[in-house]
Amino acid sequence: MKSPAKALELAVFAGDVVEIHRLPASGRVLLGRAPESDIRIDHPSVSRRHAALHLGPTLRLEDLGGRNGTFVGDPGERDESGRTATVVQLAREAMEINVGDCV
């Protein structure tokens, strides 16, 4: 018998607030300041419709075209030496991400 997949969570750090959100196993989760967002992030750096997280066998993060874009730690860089990490800015595009990535 196959064991169930481990449930995913999204940790949101916005200013002095830290929130943990359980994620569904699949589907699309909208992130933003708008009240109708699936995960509401009330911070001035976040657009009303900021990004979408696509959940399934692979994880994808899609920037929805807000003014600030969406930043993702460079997936090719896995150095834990303490140096400053390189980030990739998404602007109206999507990229595959991994569990544990900072966005």
mmCIF file with all atom_site columns, all heavy atoms in Angstrom, residues 9-14 16-22 39-42:
data_model
loop_
_atom_site.group_PDB
_atom_site.id
_atom_site.type_symbol
_atom_site.label_atom_id
_atom_site.label_alt_id
_atom_site.label_comp_id
_atom_site.label_asym_id
_atom_site.label_entity_id
_atom_site.label_seq_id
_atom_site.pdbx_PDB_ins_code
_atom_site.Cartn_x
_atom_site.Cartn_y
_atom_site.Cartn_z
_atom_site.occupancy
_atom_site.B_iso_or_equiv
_atom_site.pdbx_formal_charge
_atom_site.auth_seq_id
_atom_site.auth_comp_id
_atom_site.auth_asym_id
_atom_site.auth_atom_id
_atom_site.pdbx_PDB_model_num
ATOM 1   N N   . GLU A 1 9  ? 2.808  22.933 2.973  1.00 0.00 ? 9  GLU A N   1
ATOM 2   C CA  . GLU A 1 9  ? 2.422  24.165 3.639  1.00 0.00 ? 9  GLU A CA  1
ATOM 3   C C   . GLU A 1 9  ? 3.225  25.305 3.027  1.00 0.00 ? 9  GLU A C   1
ATOM 4   O O   . GLU A 1 9  ? 4.345  25.111 2.554  1.00 0.00 ? 9  GLU A O   1
ATOM 5   C CB  . GLU A 1 9  ? 2.709  24.095 5.135  1.00 0.00 ? 9  GLU A CB  1
ATOM 6   C CG  . GLU A 1 9  ? 1.902  23.053 5.858  1.00 0.00 ? 9  GLU A CG  1
ATOM 7   C CD  . GLU A 1 9  ? 2.257  22.957 7.328  1.00 0.00 ? 9  GLU A CD  1
ATOM 8   O OE1 . GLU A 1 9  ? 3.433  23.206 7.694  1.00 0.00 ? 9  GLU A OE1 1
ATOM 9   O OE2 . GLU A 1 9  ? 1.356  22.629 8.102  1.00 0.00 ? 9  GLU A OE2 1
ATOM 10  N N   . LEU A 1 10 ? 2.638  26.495 3.069  1.00 0.00 ? 10 LEU A N   1
ATOM 11  C CA  . LEU A 1 10 ? 3.311  27.702 2.606  1.00 0.00 ? 10 LEU A CA  1
ATOM 12  C C   . LEU A 1 10 ? 3.514  28.597 3.813  1.00 0.00 ? 10 LEU A C   1
ATOM 13  O O   . LEU A 1 10 ? 2.545  28.943 4.496  1.00 0.00 ? 10 LEU A O   1
ATOM 14  C CB  . LEU A 1 10 ? 2.468  28.426 1.550  1.00 0.00 ? 10 LEU A CB  1
ATOM 15  C CG  . LEU A 1 10 ? 3.018  29.755 1.048  1.00 0.00 ? 10 LEU A CG  1
ATOM 16  C CD1 . LEU A 1 10 ? 4.290  29.540 0.239  1.00 0.00 ? 10 LEU A CD1 1
ATOM 17  C CD2 . LEU A 1 10 ? 1.970  30.470 0.202  1.00 0.00 ? 10 LEU A CD2 1
ATOM 18  N N   . ALA A 1 11 ? 4.761  28.937 4.100  1.00 0.00 ? 11 ALA A N   1
ATOM 19  C CA  . ALA A 1 11 ? 5.069  29.874 5.181  1.00 0.00 ? 11 ALA A CA  1
ATOM 20  C C   . ALA A 1 11 ? 5.192  31.261 4.566  1.00 0.00 ? 11 ALA A C   1
ATOM 21  O O   . ALA A 1 11 ? 5.980  31.467 3.641  1.00 0.00 ? 11 ALA A O   1
ATOM 22  C CB  . ALA A 1 11 ? 6.358  29.481 5.883  1.00 0.00 ? 11 ALA A CB  1
ATOM 23  N N   . VAL A 1 12 ? 4.403  32.201 5.067  1.00 0.00 ? 12 VAL A N   1
ATOM 24  C CA  . VAL A 1 12 ? 4.409  33.571 4.558  1.00 0.00 ? 12 VAL A CA  1
ATOM 25  C C   . VAL A 1 12 ? 5.026  34.472 5.624  1.00 0.00 ? 12 VAL A C   1
ATOM 26  O O   . VAL A 1 12 ? 4.535  34.530 6.754  1.00 0.00 ? 12 VAL A O   1
ATOM 27  C CB  . VAL A 1 12 ? 2.980  34.051 4.224  1.00 0.00 ? 12 VAL A CB  1
ATOM 28  C CG1 . VAL A 1 12 ? 2.992  35.513 3.783  1.00 0.00 ? 12 VAL A CG1 1
ATOM 29  C CG2 . VAL A 1 12 ? 2.361  33.174 3.150  1.00 0.00 ? 12 VAL A CG2 1
ATOM 30  N N   . PHE A 1 13 ? 6.101  35.161 5.256  1.00 0.00 ? 13 PHE A N   1
ATOM 31  C CA  . PHE A 1 13 ? 6.764  36.128 6.129  1.00 0.00 ? 13 PHE A CA  1
ATOM 32  C C   . PHE A 1 13 ? 6.493  37.500 5.536  1.00 0.00 ? 13 PHE A C   1
ATOM 33  O O   . PHE A 1 13 ? 7.035  37.828 4.482  1.00 0.00 ? 13 PHE A O   1
ATOM 34  C CB  . PHE A 1 13 ? 8.274  35.869 6.177  1.00 0.00 ? 13 PHE A CB  1
ATOM 35  C CG  . PHE A 1 13 ? 8.633  34.508 6.705  1.00 0.00 ? 13 PHE A CG  1
ATOM 36  C CD1 . PHE A 1 13 ? 8.637  33.397 5.867  1.00 0.00 ? 13 PHE A CD1 1
ATOM 37  C CD2 . PHE A 1 13 ? 8.968  34.341 8.031  1.00 0.00 ? 13 PHE A CD2 1
ATOM 38  C CE1 . PHE A 1 13 ? 8.972  32.137 6.347  1.00 0.00 ? 13 PHE A CE1 1
ATOM 39  C CE2 . PHE A 1 13 ? 9.309  33.083 8.522  1.00 0.00 ? 13 PHE A CE2 1
ATOM 40  C CZ  . PHE A 1 13 ? 9.308  31.980 7.688  1.00 0.00 ? 13 PHE A CZ  1
ATOM 41  N N   . ALA A 1 14 ? 5.661  38.304 6.185  1.00 0.00 ? 14 ALA A N   1
ATOM 42  C CA  . ALA A 1 14 ? 5.303  39.632 5.675  1.00 0.00 ? 14 ALA A CA  1
ATOM 43  C C   . ALA A 1 14 ? 5.434  40.628 6.810  1.00 0.00 ? 14 ALA A C   1
ATOM 44  O O   . ALA A 1 14 ? 4.594  40.666 7.716  1.00 0.00 ? 14 ALA A O   1
ATOM 45  C CB  . ALA A 1 14 ? 3.892  39.626 5.112  1.00 0.00 ? 14 ALA A CB  1
ATOM 46  N N   . ASP A 1 16 ? 6.275  41.874 10.212 1.00 0.00 ? 16 ASP A N   1
ATOM 47  C CA  . ASP A 1 16 ? 6.440  41.186 11.493 1.00 0.00 ? 16 ASP A CA  1
ATOM 48  C C   . ASP A 1 16 ? 5.528  39.975 11.621 1.00 0.00 ? 16 ASP A C   1
ATOM 49  O O   . ASP A 1 16 ? 5.487  39.345 12.674 1.00 0.00 ? 16 ASP A O   1
ATOM 50  C CB  . ASP A 1 16 ? 6.142  42.149 12.648 1.00 0.00 ? 16 ASP A CB  1
ATOM 51  C CG  . ASP A 1 16 ? 7.154  43.280 12.735 1.00 0.00 ? 16 ASP A CG  1
ATOM 52  O OD1 . ASP A 1 16 ? 8.289  43.083 12.258 1.00 0.00 ? 16 ASP A OD1 1
ATOM 53  O OD2 . ASP A 1 16 ? 6.819  44.348 13.276 1.00 0.00 ? 16 ASP A OD2 1
ATOM 54  N N   . VAL A 1 17 ? 4.780  39.652 10.583 1.00 0.00 ? 17 VAL A N   1
ATOM 55  C CA  . VAL A 1 17 ? 3.792  38.580 10.644 1.00 0.00 ? 17 VAL A CA  1
ATOM 56  C C   . VAL A 1 17 ? 4.317  37.331 9.937  1.00 0.00 ? 17 VAL A C   1
ATOM 57  O O   . VAL A 1 17 ? 4.869  37.415 8.842  1.00 0.00 ? 17 VAL A O   1
ATOM 58  C CB  . VAL A 1 17 ? 2.471  39.036 9.975  1.00 0.00 ? 17 VAL A CB  1
ATOM 59  C CG1 . VAL A 1 17 ? 1.451  37.923 9.963  1.00 0.00 ? 17 VAL A CG1 1
ATOM 60  C CG2 . VAL A 1 17 ? 1.911  40.256 10.693 1.00 0.00 ? 17 VAL A CG2 1
ATOM 61  N N   . VAL A 1 18 ? 4.137  36.190 10.577 1.00 0.00 ? 18 VAL A N   1
ATOM 62  C CA  . VAL A 1 18 ? 4.460  34.901 9.971  1.00 0.00 ? 18 VAL A CA  1
ATOM 63  C C   . VAL A 1 18 ? 3.195  34.061 10.018 1.00 0.00 ? 18 VAL A C   1
ATOM 64  O O   . VAL A 1 18 ? 2.585  33.906 11.073 1.00 0.00 ? 18 VAL A O   1
ATOM 65  C CB  . VAL A 1 18 ? 5.596  34.168 10.730 1.00 0.00 ? 18 VAL A CB  1
ATOM 66  C CG1 . VAL A 1 18 ? 5.852  32.801 10.108 1.00 0.00 ? 18 VAL A CG1 1
ATOM 67  C CG2 . VAL A 1 18 ? 6.858  35.005 10.742 1.00 0.00 ? 18 VAL A CG2 1
ATOM 68  N N   . GLU A 1 19 ? 2.768  33.561 8.865  1.00 0.00 ? 19 GLU A N   1
ATOM 69  C CA  . GLU A 1 19 ? 1.568  32.721 8.786  1.00 0.00 ? 19 GLU A CA  1
ATOM 70  C C   . GLU A 1 19 ? 1.909  31.439 8.045  1.00 0.00 ? 19 GLU A C   1
ATOM 71  O O   . GLU A 1 19 ? 2.674  31.455 7.081  1.00 0.00 ? 19 GLU A O   1
ATOM 72  C CB  . GLU A 1 19 ? 0.446  33.438 8.037  1.00 0.00 ? 19 GLU A CB  1
ATOM 73  C CG  . GLU A 1 19 ? -0.051 34.684 8.720  1.00 0.00 ? 19 GLU A CG  1
ATOM 74  C CD  . GLU A 1 19 ? -1.128 35.406 7.915  1.00 0.00 ? 19 GLU A CD  1
ATOM 75  O OE1 . GLU A 1 19 ? -1.176 35.222 6.676  1.00 0.00 ? 19 GLU A OE1 1
ATOM 76  O OE2 . GLU A 1 19 ? -1.897 36.153 8.524  1.00 0.00 ? 19 GLU A OE2 1
ATOM 77  N N   . ILE A 1 20 ? 1.312  30.334 8.479  1.00 0.00 ? 20 ILE A N   1
ATOM 78  C CA  . ILE A 1 20 ? 1.485  29.040 7.825  1.00 0.00 ? 20 ILE A CA  1
ATOM 79  C C   . ILE A 1 20 ? 0.142  28.658 7.207  1.00 0.00 ? 20 ILE A C   1
ATOM 80  O O   . ILE A 1 20 ? -0.890 28.686 7.885  1.00 0.00 ? 20 ILE A O   1
ATOM 81  C CB  . ILE A 1 20 ? 1.920  27.952 8.835  1.00 0.00 ? 20 ILE A CB  1
ATOM 82  C CG1 . ILE A 1 20 ? 3.189  28.378 9.573  1.00 0.00 ? 20 ILE A CG1 1
ATOM 83  C CG2 . ILE A 1 20 ? 2.085  26.607 8.126  1.00 0.00 ? 20 ILE A CG2 1
ATOM 84  C CD1 . ILE A 1 20 ? 4.412  28.533 8.710  1.00 0.00 ? 20 ILE A CD1 1
ATOM 85  N N   . HIS A 1 21 ? 0.155  28.336 5.923  1.00 0.00 ? 21 HIS A N   1
ATOM 86  C CA  . HIS A 1 21 ? -1.068 27.960 5.199  1.00 0.00 ? 21 HIS A CA  1
ATOM 87  C C   . HIS A 1 21 ? -0.923 26.547 4.649  1.00 0.00 ? 21 HIS A C   1
ATOM 88  O O   . HIS A 1 21 ? 0.045  26.252 3.945  1.00 0.00 ? 21 HIS A O   1
ATOM 89  C CB  . HIS A 1 21 ? -1.311 28.925 4.028  1.00 0.00 ? 21 HIS A CB  1
ATOM 90  C CG  . HIS A 1 21 ? -1.463 30.352 4.456  1.00 0.00 ? 21 HIS A CG  1
ATOM 91  N ND1 . HIS A 1 21 ? -2.666 30.876 4.815  1.00 0.00 ? 21 HIS A ND1 1
ATOM 92  C CD2 . HIS A 1 21 ? -0.543 31.339 4.586  1.00 0.00 ? 21 HIS A CD2 1
ATOM 93  C CE1 . HIS A 1 21 ? -2.499 32.138 5.149  1.00 0.00 ? 21 HIS A CE1 1
ATOM 94  N NE2 . HIS A 1 21 ? -1.214 32.445 5.018  1.00 0.00 ? 21 HIS A NE2 1
ATOM 95  N N   . ARG A 1 22 ? -1.878 25.688 4.958  1.00 0.00 ? 22 ARG A N   1
ATOM 96  C CA  . ARG A 1 22 ? -1.903 24.346 4.362  1.00 0.00 ? 22 ARG A CA  1
ATOM 97  C C   . ARG A 1 22 ? -2.317 24.488 2.903  1.00 0.00 ? 22 ARG A C   1
ATOM 98  O O   . ARG A 1 22 ? -3.205 25.265 2.576  1.00 0.00 ? 22 ARG A O   1
ATOM 99  C CB  . ARG A 1 22 ? -2.885 23.454 5.111  1.00 0.00 ? 22 ARG A CB  1
ATOM 100 C CG  . ARG A 1 22 ? -2.370 23.076 6.500  1.00 0.00 ? 22 ARG A CG  1
ATOM 101 C CD  . ARG A 1 22 ? -3.290 22.105 7.202  1.00 0.00 ? 22 ARG A CD  1
ATOM 102 N NE  . ARG A 1 22 ? -3.290 20.771 6.617  1.00 0.00 ? 22 ARG A NE  1
ATOM 103 C CZ  . ARG A 1 22 ? -2.350 19.850 6.833  1.00 0.00 ? 22 ARG A CZ  1
ATOM 104 N NH1 . ARG A 1 22 ? -1.339 20.130 7.607  1.00 0.00 ? 22 ARG A NH1 1
ATOM 105 N NH2 . ARG A 1 22 ? -2.435 18.658 6.279  1.00 0.00 ? 22 ARG A NH2 1
ATOM 106 N N   . ILE A 1 39 ? -4.810 32.896 -0.611 1.00 0.00 ? 39 ILE A N   1
ATOM 107 C CA  . ILE A 1 39 ? -3.938 33.227 0.509  1.00 0.00 ? 39 ILE A CA  1
ATOM 108 C C   . ILE A 1 39 ? -3.715 34.734 0.439  1.00 0.00 ? 39 ILE A C   1
ATOM 109 O O   . ILE A 1 39 ? -3.076 35.234 -0.489 1.00 0.00 ? 39 ILE A O   1
ATOM 110 C CB  . ILE A 1 39 ? -2.608 32.454 0.451  1.00 0.00 ? 39 ILE A CB  1
ATOM 111 C CG1 . ILE A 1 39 ? -2.888 30.956 0.615  1.00 0.00 ? 39 ILE A CG1 1
ATOM 112 C CG2 . ILE A 1 39 ? -1.650 32.970 1.529  1.00 0.00 ? 39 ILE A CG2 1
ATOM 113 C CD1 . ILE A 1 39 ? -1.674 30.074 0.571  1.00 0.00 ? 39 ILE A CD1 1
ATOM 114 N N   . ARG A 1 40 ? -4.302 35.438 1.409  1.00 0.00 ? 40 ARG A N   1
ATOM 115 C CA  . ARG A 1 40 ? -4.219 36.900 1.431  1.00 0.00 ? 40 ARG A CA  1
ATOM 116 C C   . ARG A 1 40 ? -2.955 37.309 2.176  1.00 0.00 ? 40 ARG A C   1
ATOM 117 O O   . ARG A 1 40 ? -2.716 36.872 3.294  1.00 0.00 ? 40 ARG A O   1
ATOM 118 C CB  . ARG A 1 40 ? -5.446 37.490 2.115  1.00 0.00 ? 40 ARG A CB  1
ATOM 119 C CG  . ARG A 1 40 ? -5.518 38.970 1.981  1.00 0.00 ? 40 ARG A CG  1
ATOM 120 C CD  . ARG A 1 40 ? -6.904 39.497 2.338  1.00 0.00 ? 40 ARG A CD  1
ATOM 121 N NE  . ARG A 1 40 ? -6.975 40.903 2.060  1.00 0.00 ? 40 ARG A NE  1
ATOM 122 C CZ  . ARG A 1 40 ? -6.587 41.850 2.932  1.00 0.00 ? 40 ARG A CZ  1
ATOM 123 N NH1 . ARG A 1 40 ? -6.143 41.514 4.116  1.00 0.00 ? 40 ARG A NH1 1
ATOM 124 N NH2 . ARG A 1 40 ? -6.678 43.124 2.599  1.00 0.00 ? 40 ARG A NH2 1
ATOM 125 N N   . ILE A 1 41 ? -2.148 38.152 1.504  1.00 0.00 ? 41 ILE A N   1
ATOM 126 C CA  . ILE A 1 41 ? -0.904 38.658 2.092  1.00 0.00 ? 41 ILE A CA  1
ATOM 127 C C   . ILE A 1 41 ? -1.026 40.177 2.139  1.00 0.00 ? 41 ILE A C   1
ATOM 128 O O   . ILE A 1 41 ? -0.913 40.853 1.122  1.00 0.00 ? 41 ILE A O   1
ATOM 129 C CB  . ILE A 1 41 ? 0.328  38.222 1.267  1.00 0.00 ? 41 ILE A CB  1
ATOM 130 C CG1 . ILE A 1 41 ? 0.351  36.696 1.118  1.00 0.00 ? 41 ILE A CG1 1
ATOM 131 C CG2 . ILE A 1 41 ? 1.604  38.749 1.913  1.00 0.00 ? 41 ILE A CG2 1
ATOM 132 C CD1 . ILE A 1 41 ? 1.380  36.183 0.139  1.00 0.00 ? 41 ILE A CD1 1
ATOM 133 N N   . ASP A 1 42 ? -1.300 40.696 3.323  1.00 0.00 ? 42 ASP A N   1
ATOM 134 C CA  . ASP A 1 42 ? -1.550 42.123 3.502  1.00 0.00 ? 42 ASP A CA  1
ATOM 135 C C   . ASP A 1 42 ? -0.241 42.858 3.765  1.00 0.00 ? 42 ASP A C   1
ATOM 136 O O   . ASP A 1 42 ? 0.135  43.121 4.903  1.00 0.00 ? 42 ASP A O   1
ATOM 137 C CB  . ASP A 1 42 ? -2.538 42.332 4.652  1.00 0.00 ? 42 ASP A CB  1
ATOM 138 C CG  . ASP A 1 42 ? -3.048 43.763 4.711  1.00 0.00 ? 42 ASP A CG  1
ATOM 139 O OD1 . ASP A 1 42 ? -2.931 44.470 3.690  1.00 0.00 ? 42 ASP A OD1 1
ATOM 140 O OD2 . ASP A 1 42 ? -3.547 44.160 5.772  1.00 0.00 ? 42 ASP A OD2 1
#
